[in-house]
């Protein structure tokens, strides 16, 4: 239960932070996520199996995700195609690339030392419960990420990214190239998503070529649930509520397990959940404009 | 200071929808000019501004700024020295962000750095500047700009643009979407800033009285051409009736029927 809801909620929360940056801050609906998430997993597995030190592996994962996002941004910028098409193209190409990295549809990390196994060993004096140790490390990681992102979005560059999603003409009028900002934003977003993918691989102890299918929707559902429960115009709350949304999403999924008979049922479930959230949001809007 | 040489803009070239919107325009804007521009809907006024600001490429012709050829310079690079305000007050500011965040973005032009500039010293600077507007915005730094009225947003855009020291200011019916009281307020501020900061400006308006009252030079555009260019004493003595008569003489069409110009 701790693992299923809190730990997975926190890991998918990192993914949802990436989705939040593109869908909400940049107003750039980006489906690259479905490719950059398994990319992060594949690259991490490859690095660990090759014996590359952990911290370098994480940097490589982030950079690979960043490159994937940049490619989507460049396709969109240079060919003037809509964000959805540009990102579907990258997502499609990443499927083949992920396969080339893994060289098999399924690669196990069994008996390989990961950040999670290392941390669990490290804190055995405190707790021997694996779930608790996982929970601790992900609380730590997510807190640090939120602090970093909160600071980033308070820098002049971060504010410019916010303005870009709000009003692109303003960015141009202020002498900035929106194309460059989009590359930065998408790189950051997909870098985070790849990091999330690499954590899932370490958590599940395997990487699977198909693990990315539909994750963008999981991220989006988390973002939307967060928006439903917390209202604010402060970036720190906007970031935190994404995590909260991701945990609630896991909770809902966990509680509805009796309904989900096939392992693939959760996709139908997530779709219906999003439709319900959209309907509730629309109703709320209607209510507030009437009242 | 700004020179347009044989500018042509043709939309949908070589199709049945071909539309020759700017026809061989030649214009020299002198430093310190405050030019008002009038002309019926579809005359090509906004297209002229799009050409100068780099928002749309020319079909042919050249644009010079201080004898630099900027014909192929991208819009975001031109905006470092050309300030532009649109009719839509929402285009100048980011509504989902706070006033202070907006002002950080407009505080300096060009690419933004990875550092946090906003602090109390800067906030006080912002407050001092906002007091000039006399709209009580200095007490609303933490409010989202989306909560402000169109007039407040346009005044804000104007202030931030002026403070960036533009070499040329383009105002495209920037008061047309405001209610009369706010429109007058923004127009007064415009005239005040242009005068105090000795700006070079071009202002499109559909109000002939304003076109006559403000500025030192008046252009009239029709069907993609500048058909009238009056300045100095001749302009200050002008009346609305004379302006209509002049159009009539040039185009031998009945100007009075053109309701858009008289509105
Ligand atoms: N992006 C565009 N694509 C095609 N035609 C355009 C475009 N922008 C303007 N036009 C056409 O150019 C003509 C002049 O428009 P515009 O410059 O906006 O006129 P004004 O500002 O003087 O009212 C109009 O016929 C308009 O339909
Ligand atoms: Mg116009």
């Amino acid at each position: 239960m701790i693992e299923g809801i809190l730990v997975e909620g926190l890991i998918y929360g990192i993914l949802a932070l990436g989705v939040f940056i593109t869908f909400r801050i940049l107003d750039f609906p980006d489906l690259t996520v479905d490719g950059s998430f398994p990319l992060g997993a594949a690259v991490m597995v490859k690095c660990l199996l090759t014996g590359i030190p952990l911290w370098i592996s994480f940097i490589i994962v982030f950079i690979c995700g960043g490159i994937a996002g940049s490619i989507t941004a460049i396709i969109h910028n240079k060919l003037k195609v809509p964000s959805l098409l540009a990102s579907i193209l990258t997502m499609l190409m990443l499927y083949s690339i992920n396969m080339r990295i893994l060289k098999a549809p399924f690669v196990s990390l069994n008996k390989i030392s990961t950040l999670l196994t290392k941390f669990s060993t490290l804190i055995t004096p405190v707790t021997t419960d694996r779930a608790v140790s996982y929970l601790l490390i992900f609380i730590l990681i997510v807190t640090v990420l939120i602090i970093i992102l909160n600071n980033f979005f308070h820098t002049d560059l971060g504010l410019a990214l916010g303005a870009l999603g709000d009003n692109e003409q303003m960015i141009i009028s202020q002498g900035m190239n929106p194309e460059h900002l989009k590359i930065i934003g998408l790189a950051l977003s997909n870098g985070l998503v790849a990091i999330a993918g690499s954590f899932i691989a370490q958590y599940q102890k395997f990487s699977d070529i198909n693990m990315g299918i539909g994750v963008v929707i999981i991220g989006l559902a988390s973002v939307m649930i967060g928006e439903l429960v917390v209202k604010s115009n402060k970036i720190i709350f906007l970031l935190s509520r994404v995590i909260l949304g991701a945990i609630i999403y896991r909770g809902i999924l966990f509680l509805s397990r009796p309904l989900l008979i096939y392992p693939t049922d959760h996709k139908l479930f997530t779709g219906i959940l999003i439709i319900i959230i959209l309907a509730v949001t629309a109703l709320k809007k209607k209510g507030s404009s009437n009242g | 200071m700004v020179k347009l040489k044989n500018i042509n803009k043709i939309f949908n070239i070589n199709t049945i929808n071909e539309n020759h919107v700017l026809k061989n325009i030649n214009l020299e804007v002198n430093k310190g000019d405050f030019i008002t521009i009038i002309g019926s809907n579809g005359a090509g006024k906004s297209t002229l501004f799009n050409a100068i600001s780099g928002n749309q490429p020319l079909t042919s012709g050249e644009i010079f700024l201080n004898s630099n050829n900027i014909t192929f310079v991208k819009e975001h690079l031109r905006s470092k020295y050309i300030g532009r305000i649109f009719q839509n007050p929402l285009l100048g500011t980011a509504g989902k962000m706070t006033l202070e965040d907006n002002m950080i973005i407009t505080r300096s032009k060009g690419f933004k750095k990875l550092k946090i500039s906003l602090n109390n010293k800067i906030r006080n600077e912002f407050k001092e500047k906002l007091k000039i507007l006399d709209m009580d915005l200095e007490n609303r730094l933490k409010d989202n700009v989306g909560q402000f009225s169109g007039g407040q947003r346009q005044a804000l855009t104007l202030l931030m643009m002026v403070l960036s020291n533009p070499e040329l200011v383009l105002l495209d019916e920037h008061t047309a979407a405001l209610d009369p009281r706010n429109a007058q307020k923004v127009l007064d501020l415009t005239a005040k800033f242009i005068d105090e900061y000795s700006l070079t400006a071009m202002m499109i308006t559909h109000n002939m009285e304003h076109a006559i009252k403000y500025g030192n030079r008046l252009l009239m555009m029709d069907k993609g051409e500048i058909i009238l260019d009056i300045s100095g004493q001749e302009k200050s003595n002008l009346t609305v009736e004379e302006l209509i008569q002049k159009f009539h003489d040039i185009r031998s069409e009945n100007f009075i029927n053109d309701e858009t110009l008289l509105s």
Side-chain angles (χ1 to χ4, degrees):
Chain A
M1 175 114 161
I2 289 184
E3 285 204 33
I5 299 176
L6 293 178
V7 175
E8 288 183 26
L10 287 168
I11 303 178
Y12 279 103
I14 300 172
L15 164 102
L17 284 174
V19 172
F20 167 74
I21 291 172
T22 48
F23 276 71
R24 290 299 188 256
I25 295 195
L26 297 175
D27 194 17
F28 188 113
D30 174 31
L31 308 184
T32 315
V33 174
D34 276 19
S36 52
F37 184 78
L39 173 71
V43 171
M44 181 50 85
V45 165
K46 185 80 186 175
C47 285
L48 292 180
L49 291 177
T50 318
I52 295 174
L54 254 177
W55 67 276
I56 298 180
S57 306
F58 275 108
I59 293 174
I60 296 175
V61 164
F62 186 80
I63 291 174
C64 287
I67 292 172
S70 309
I71 289 171
T72 298
I74 291 168
I75 296 173
H76 163 83
N77 288 341
K78 294 304 165 198
L79 303 179
K80 311 277 175 235
V81 292
S83 58
L84 287 176
L85 177 57
S87 59
I88 288 176
L89 284 170
T90 313
M91 181 183 101
L92 179 77
M93 295 187 291
L94 281 172
Y95 193 84
S96 312
I97 289 173
N98 293 340
M99 192 64 192
R100 276 174 176 262
I101 295 171
L102 286 175
K103 304 237 168 34
F106 179 95
V107 177
S108 165
L109 270 182
N110 243 337
K111 301 209 173 71
I112 300 283
S113 148
T114 68
L115 181 68
L116 304 188
T117 59
K118 281 190 178 167
F119 186 78
S120 294
T121 323
L122 190 75
I123 67 158
T124 29
V126 187
T127 173
T128 49
D129 188 336
R130 202 189 58 164
V132 174
S133 80
Y134 282 9
L135 183 61
L136 284 177
I137 187 162
F138 281 114
I139 288 177
L140 198 71
I141 289 168
V142 167
T143 308
V144 170
L145 275 179
I146 287 194
I147 291 170
I148 293 174
L149 286 174
N150 179 50
N151 275 302
F152 172 73
F153 285 112
H154 277 95
T155 64
D156 299 1
L157 176 63
L159 291 173
L161 281 181
L164 172 74
D166 204 337
N167 182 352
E168 187 162 337
Q169 180 61 48
M170 177 186 182
I171 289 299
I172 298 171
S173 300
Q174 293 312 317
M176 283 171 272
N177 190 340
E179 296 186 358
H180 295 167
L181 289 180
K182 283 179 190 172
I183 293 176
I184 293 173
L186 262 84
L188 174 64
S189 161
N190 284 285
L192 281 172
V193 169
I195 292 285
S198 80
F199 279 134
I200 285 292
Q202 295 176 63
Y203 172 74
Q204 299 178 335
K205 296 200 171 68
F206 66 82
S207 175
D208 168 3
I209 186 77
N210 290 320
M211 66 190 276
I213 299 174
V215 288
V216 66
I217 294 298
I218 296 178
L220 193 58
S222 309
V223 169
M224 286 164 56
I225 294 171
E227 287 166 351
L228 226 46
V229 288
V230 181
K231 299 266 171 280
S232 176
N233 74 346
K234 288 217 162 48
I235 186 74
I236 183 85
F237 294 121
L238 302 190
L239 294 167
S240 309
R241 79 181 179 190
V242 170
I243 303 294
L244 187 63
I247 293 172
I248 296 176
Y249 170 79
R250 282 287 138 191
I252 297 173
L253 212 57
F254 189 85
L255 293 179
S256 39
R257 265 199 321 200
L259 297 172
L260 311 179
I261 295 157
Y262 286 95
T264 45
D265 275 353
H266 69 274
K267 296 206 195 295
L268 175 66
F269 182 79
T270 308
I272 294 173
L273 186 65
I274 291 200
I275 292 170
I276 293 173
I277 299 170
L278 284 171
V280 171
T281 317
L283 272 178
K284 270 194 164 179
K285 262 206 191 112
K286 220 168 145 192
S288 63
S289 65
N290 285 346
Chain B
M1 77 158 285
V2 179
K3 204 165 160 184
L4 309 182
K5 258 174 88 176
N6 303 325
I7 287 198
N8 282 284
K9 177 70 191 179
I10 309 175
F11 286 110
N12 307 315
I13 197 161
N14 297 330
T15 70
I16 44 164
N17 294 323
E18 185 167 300
N19 190 358
H20 199 156
V21 174
L22 296 179
K23 294 175 186 151
N24 214 41
I25 297 232
N26 284 286
L27 178 71
E28 188 152 1
V29 179
N30 306 307
K31 199 167 169 52
D33 265 353
F34 178 6
I35 301 177
T36 57
I37 303 175
I38 53 170
S40 48
N41 264 336
K45 305 180 297 293
S46 297
T47 306
L48 181 69
F49 276 16
N50 282 335
I52 298 174
S53 66
N55 183 271
Q56 284 167 0
L58 300 178
T59 307
S60 67
E62 286 177 304
I63 302 175
F64 295 88
L65 183 90
N66 295 330
S67 66
N68 297 320
N69 189 335
I70 60 164
T71 314
F72 298 105
V73 174
K74 283 203 181 134
E75 182 181 12
H76 72 272
L77 296 174
R78 290 191 209 184
S79 27
K80 289 184 183 172
Y81 33 81
I82 300 177
R84 185 173 186 190
I85 301 187
F86 298 88
Q87 179 173 342
N88 181 353
L90 307 183
L91 285 178
T93 41
K96 283 187 236 156
M97 299 177 76
T98 61
L99 174 54
E100 59 184 20
D101 288 350
N102 267 277
M103 291 188 79
I104 283 289
I105 293 165
T106 53
R107 183 166 160 263
S108 65
K109 292 215 171 174
F111 203 76
K112 298 289 180 282
K113 297 207 185 72
L114 201 58
K115 66 160 205 260
I116 299 179
S117 302
L118 189 62
N119 54 37
N120 281 334
K121 184 167 159 273
I122 299 280
R123 279 196 186 94
N124 284 331
E125 276 176 30
F126 288 169
K127 283 183 188 169
E128 284 311 307
K129 288 168 182 166
L130 287 167
K131 278 182 190 152
I132 305 172
L133 295 181
D134 192 22
M135 289 177 158
D136 199 37
L137 294 183
E138 59 273 19
N139 298 319
R140 300 182 65 183
L141 279 181
K142 299 218 186 285
D143 283 357
N144 275 10
V145 168
Q147 298 171 7
F148 298 174
S149 73
Q152 287 171 325
R153 281 181 84 159
Q154 205 66 319
L156 194 59
T157 307
L158 183 70
L159 174 72
M160 298 190 299
M161 196 259 294
V162 167
L163 293 173
S164 73
N165 279 325
E167 302 212 25
L168 175 69
V169 172
L170 302 175
L171 307 164
D172 190 347
E173 303 200 41
H174 68 305
T175 62
L178 310 178
D179 63 83
R181 206 176 55 87
N182 273 310
Q184 193 54 50
K185 170 127 205 193
V186 171
L187 200 57
D188 289 342
L189 279 168
T190 306
K192 178 178 129 127
F193 286 145
I194 290 177
D195 180 50
E196 278 177 12
Y197 292 83
S198 313
L199 298 170
T200 307
M202 299 172 82
M203 178 172 88
I204 299 174
T205 171
H206 58 245
N207 184 318
M208 280 201 278
E209 280 171 30
H210 289 165
I212 294 170
K213 181 175 164 202
Y214 296 98
N216 66 318
R217 188 172 165 192
L218 183 149
L219 301 182
M220 187 190 283
M221 285 188 71
D222 185 52
K223 299 197 176 73
E225 292 174 306
I226 297 175
I227 57 169
L228 203 62
D229 183 348
I230 312 176
S231 52
Q233 199 63 42
E234 194 188 352
K235 171 170 180 291
S236 34
N237 292 338
L238 206 61
T239 64
V240 172
E241 291 71 32
E242 282 170 9
L243 203 52
I244 296 171
Q245 187 57 46
K246 276 187 193 293
F247 179 82
H248 189 75
D249 293 347
I250 297 166
R251 284 299 191 199
S252 54
E253 280 174 33
N254 200 342
F255 203 21
I256 296 165
N257 287 338
D258 196 335
E259 290 174 11
T260 53
L261 257 166
L262 288 171
S263 60

mmCIF file of all heavy atoms in Angstrom, chain B residues 39-47 84 87 172-173 204, ligand 2:
data_model
loop_
_atom_site.group_PDB
_atom_site.id
_atom_site.type_symbol
_atom_site.label_atom_id
_atom_site.label_comp_id
_atom_site.label_asym_id
_atom_site.label_seq_id
_atom_site.Cartn_x
_atom_site.Cartn_y
_atom_site.Cartn_z
ATOM 1 N N GLY B 39 -6.621 55.898 -42.462
ATOM 2 C CA GLY B 39 -6.933 55.199 -43.708
ATOM 3 C C GLY B 39 -8.021 54.192 -43.440
ATOM 4 O O GLY B 39 -8.141 53.689 -42.324
ATOM 5 N N SER B 40 -8.799 53.898 -44.464
ATOM 6 C CA SER B 40 -9.961 53.034 -44.256
ATOM 7 C C SER B 40 -9.522 51.619 -43.891
ATOM 8 O O SER B 40 -8.362 51.253 -44.038
ATOM 9 C CB SER B 40 -10.824 53.018 -45.512
ATOM 10 O OG SER B 40 -9.992 52.806 -46.627
ATOM 11 N N ASN B 41 -10.457 50.822 -43.433
ATOM 12 C CA ASN B 41 -10.178 49.427 -43.100
ATOM 13 C C ASN B 41 -9.607 48.714 -44.313
ATOM 14 O O ASN B 41 -10.125 48.863 -45.410
ATOM 15 C CB ASN B 41 -11.471 48.716 -42.689
ATOM 16 C CG ASN B 41 -11.612 48.712 -41.186
ATOM 17 O OD1 ASN B 41 -10.624 48.822 -40.470
ATOM 18 N ND2 ASN B 41 -12.839 48.600 -40.717
ATOM 19 N N GLY B 42 -8.572 47.953 -44.099
ATOM 20 C CA GLY B 42 -8.004 47.188 -45.208
ATOM 21 C C GLY B 42 -7.057 47.986 -46.071
ATOM 22 O O GLY B 42 -6.588 47.505 -47.103
ATOM 23 N N ALA B 43 -6.744 49.225 -45.657
ATOM 24 C CA ALA B 43 -5.850 50.056 -46.470
ATOM 25 C C ALA B 43 -4.421 49.527 -46.457
ATOM 26 O O ALA B 43 -3.622 49.838 -47.339
ATOM 27 C CB ALA B 43 -5.883 51.499 -45.963
ATOM 28 N N GLY B 44 -4.091 48.745 -45.425
ATOM 29 C CA GLY B 44 -2.737 48.193 -45.347
ATOM 30 C C GLY B 44 -1.921 48.793 -44.206
ATOM 31 O O GLY B 44 -0.706 48.598 -44.134
ATOM 32 N N LYS B 45 -2.574 49.491 -43.291
ATOM 33 C CA LYS B 45 -1.854 50.158 -42.195
ATOM 34 C C LYS B 45 -1.149 49.142 -41.290
ATOM 35 O O LYS B 45 0.041 49.270 -41.010
ATOM 36 C CB LYS B 45 -2.838 51.015 -41.364
ATOM 37 C CG LYS B 45 -3.632 52.023 -42.186
ATOM 38 C CD LYS B 45 -4.581 52.842 -41.339
ATOM 39 C CE LYS B 45 -5.684 52.035 -40.648
ATOM 40 N NZ LYS B 45 -6.666 51.428 -41.576
ATOM 41 N N SER B 46 -1.924 48.152 -40.834
ATOM 42 C CA SER B 46 -1.312 47.156 -39.951
ATOM 43 C C SER B 46 -0.250 46.353 -40.688
ATOM 44 O O SER B 46 0.782 45.985 -40.115
ATOM 45 C CB SER B 46 -2.375 46.205 -39.405
ATOM 46 O OG SER B 46 -3.303 46.917 -38.625
ATOM 47 N N THR B 47 -0.500 46.092 -41.957
ATOM 48 C CA THR B 47 0.484 45.357 -42.753
ATOM 49 C C THR B 47 1.786 46.146 -42.850
ATOM 50 O O THR B 47 2.879 45.582 -42.798
ATOM 51 C CB THR B 47 -0.087 45.055 -44.152
ATOM 52 O OG1 THR B 47 -1.339 44.392 -43.986
ATOM 53 C CG2 THR B 47 0.851 44.185 -44.950
ATOM 54 N N ARG B 84 6.380 47.999 -30.045
ATOM 55 C CA ARG B 84 5.099 47.957 -30.748
ATOM 56 C C ARG B 84 3.971 47.687 -29.771
ATOM 57 O O ARG B 84 4.105 46.835 -28.889
ATOM 58 C CB ARG B 84 5.140 46.842 -31.796
ATOM 59 C CG ARG B 84 3.908 46.804 -32.662
ATOM 60 C CD ARG B 84 4.059 45.799 -33.783
ATOM 61 N NE ARG B 84 2.922 45.889 -34.663
ATOM 62 C CZ ARG B 84 2.641 45.041 -35.635
ATOM 63 N NH1 ARG B 84 3.442 44.028 -35.846
ATOM 64 N NH2 ARG B 84 1.581 45.195 -36.397
ATOM 65 N N GLN B 87 -3.645 46.720 -30.895
ATOM 66 C CA GLN B 87 -5.005 47.108 -30.497
ATOM 67 C C GLN B 87 -5.481 46.256 -29.323
ATOM 68 O O GLN B 87 -6.099 46.748 -28.396
ATOM 69 C CB GLN B 87 -5.931 46.916 -31.698
ATOM 70 C CG GLN B 87 -7.374 47.269 -31.407
ATOM 71 C CD GLN B 87 -8.213 47.231 -32.671
ATOM 72 O OE1 GLN B 87 -7.696 47.265 -33.780
ATOM 73 N NE2 GLN B 87 -9.514 47.169 -32.511
ATOM 74 N N ASP B 172 -0.558 50.604 -32.967
ATOM 75 C CA ASP B 172 -1.578 50.206 -33.943
ATOM 76 C C ASP B 172 -2.962 50.271 -33.306
ATOM 77 O O ASP B 172 -3.411 49.310 -32.700
ATOM 78 C CB ASP B 172 -1.278 48.792 -34.457
ATOM 79 C CG ASP B 172 -2.149 48.427 -35.651
ATOM 80 O OD1 ASP B 172 -3.136 49.152 -35.907
ATOM 81 O OD2 ASP B 172 -1.851 47.426 -36.318
ATOM 82 N N GLU B 173 -3.613 51.403 -33.444
ATOM 83 C CA GLU B 173 -4.947 51.625 -32.850
ATOM 84 C C GLU B 173 -4.967 51.123 -31.410
ATOM 85 O O GLU B 173 -5.885 50.427 -30.989
ATOM 86 C CB GLU B 173 -6.024 50.900 -33.663
ATOM 87 C CG GLU B 173 -6.041 51.336 -35.124
ATOM 88 C CD GLU B 173 -7.364 51.022 -35.806
ATOM 89 O OE1 GLU B 173 -8.412 51.216 -35.167
ATOM 90 O OE2 GLU B 173 -7.350 50.596 -36.965
ATOM 91 N N ILE B 204 -1.230 54.560 -35.632
ATOM 92 C CA ILE B 204 -2.416 54.360 -36.462
ATOM 93 C C ILE B 204 -3.644 54.700 -35.629
ATOM 94 O O ILE B 204 -3.735 54.290 -34.463
ATOM 95 C CB ILE B 204 -2.513 52.900 -36.944
ATOM 96 C CG1 ILE B 204 -1.294 52.530 -37.804
ATOM 97 C CG2 ILE B 204 -3.813 52.671 -37.717
ATOM 98 C CD1 ILE B 204 -1.243 51.062 -38.195
HETATM 99 MG MG1 LIG C 2 -5.333 47.397 -38.776
#
